[in-house]
Amino acid sequence: NTYGGWVKLKSKSLGSHQLNGMLEYYNNFRRAEMTMYPVNDLPMFMLTWPDVSRNTYGIGVSDHWSTSDRSALDLSIRFDLNQTKLKTEEAKEYFKIFGKDTDAPFYHWISNVKANYVYFLRPEWNLLFNTAYAERVPDASEQFGFYLYNAHDNHDYIGDPDILKESSLQFEMGIQFKKKRSEISIN
């Protein structure tokens, strides 16, 4: 079950700047269970997503800045707070067998920052320079999945409630050719 909402704010042009803002909230609840019926044996019950609830609160700002007639700079930043918790005692009991304390909620602050610069060489030719830093929280399967089978590597996985967020850093540059109906770029 997922529900939430967002609000986008767009300013009028402030000289060479165009500012935008965003507020977002959503909640995601996951529960998945299965029962296996082996031949000549008792059924086996398993809770593979144990009543996981995540609240995400996000805020972001971006600025499109026409730095000159031949260049533009796009800057954006976003912050999210994620609160993830197990909702039932049954769910918490699953991780106690691994020595994990799941009574308190798990919090992750993440940030995403990017800058994109475009220099217009000629009407059809552009030079592009981009850089970005991004963070990602573990998904419900990575954090709380219980014996989830991955067919790609033929392994079962058990979530880790204490798993850390991931981060990435990206640099990119390229040249782009654009006509009315075609576009070619090398990055």
Side-chain angles (χ1 to χ4, degrees):
N1 296 322
T2 301
Y3 65 86
W6 50 265
V7 175
K8 286 187 177 182
L9 308 167
K10 189 173 182 179
S11 74
K12 293 183 179 180
S13 280
L14 305 169
S16 59
H17 293 270
Q18 173 69 54
L19 296 172
N20 296 303
M22 183 275 311
L23 296 171
E24 180 179 23
Y25 165 78
Y26 66 89
N27 173 275
N28 180 266
F29 176 80
R30 294 182 184 195
R31 177 185 172 90
E33 60 183 55
M34 66 178 175
T35 303
M36 295 170 278
Y37 299 96
V39 178
N40 300 323
D41 212 340
L42 295 174
M44 295 183 291
F45 173 79
M46 188 178 304
L47 190 58
T48 54
W49 274 338
D51 302 309
V52 180
S53 176
R54 175 171 288 163
N55 290 298
T56 300
Y57 308 87
I59 185 169
V61 177
S62 66
D63 180 19
H64 175 77
W65 178 17
S66 296
T67 53
S68 74
D69 291 342
R70 298 191 67 174
S71 64
L73 180 63
D74 289 311
L75 302 169
S76 66
I77 188 165
R78 178 183 166 121
F79 298 102
D80 285 56
L81 172 61
N82 293 275
Q83 176 202 50
T84 309
K85 60 184 171 182
L86 297 179
K87 300 289 280 183
T88 63
E89 287 305 314
E90 177 188 25
K92 294 172 187 176
E93 289 294 322
Y94 269 68
F95 287 94
K96 286 186 180 171
I97 62 174
F98 299 110
K100 300 290 185 175
D101 180 10
T102 56
D103 288 332
F106 295 83
Y107 291 94
H108 289 98
W109 278 100
I110 63 168
S111 57
N112 294 286
V113 180
K114 68 179 177 178
N116 302 323
Y117 178 75
V118 179
Y119 185 77
F120 308 106
L121 290 169
R122 295 193 172 151
E124 299 91 9
W125 290 93
N126 301 323
L127 285 176
L128 311 166
F129 302 92
N130 303 318
T131 186
Y133 173 79
E135 295 178 330
R136 181 186 77 83
V137 297
D139 68 21
S141 296
E142 293 168 322
Q143 195 170 15
F144 294 109
F146 196 71
Y147 286 105
L148 293 172
Y149 176 70
N150 184 334
H152 296 290
D153 60 11
N154 199 29
H155 284 81
D156 287 317
Y157 286 89
I158 297 173
D160 180 359
D162 300 317
I163 192 170
L164 300 176
K165 63 186 175 185
E166 290 181 356
S167 60
S168 65
L169 186 59
Q170 173 186 345
F171 298 99
E172 179 181 15
M173 70 182 206
I175 189 164
Q176 180 182 61
F177 176 79
K178 276 181 156 181
K179 276 280 195 185
K180 289 181 184 178
R181 295 184 157 208
S182 62
E183 177 180 326
I184 298 172
S185 63
I186 299 172
N187 296 319

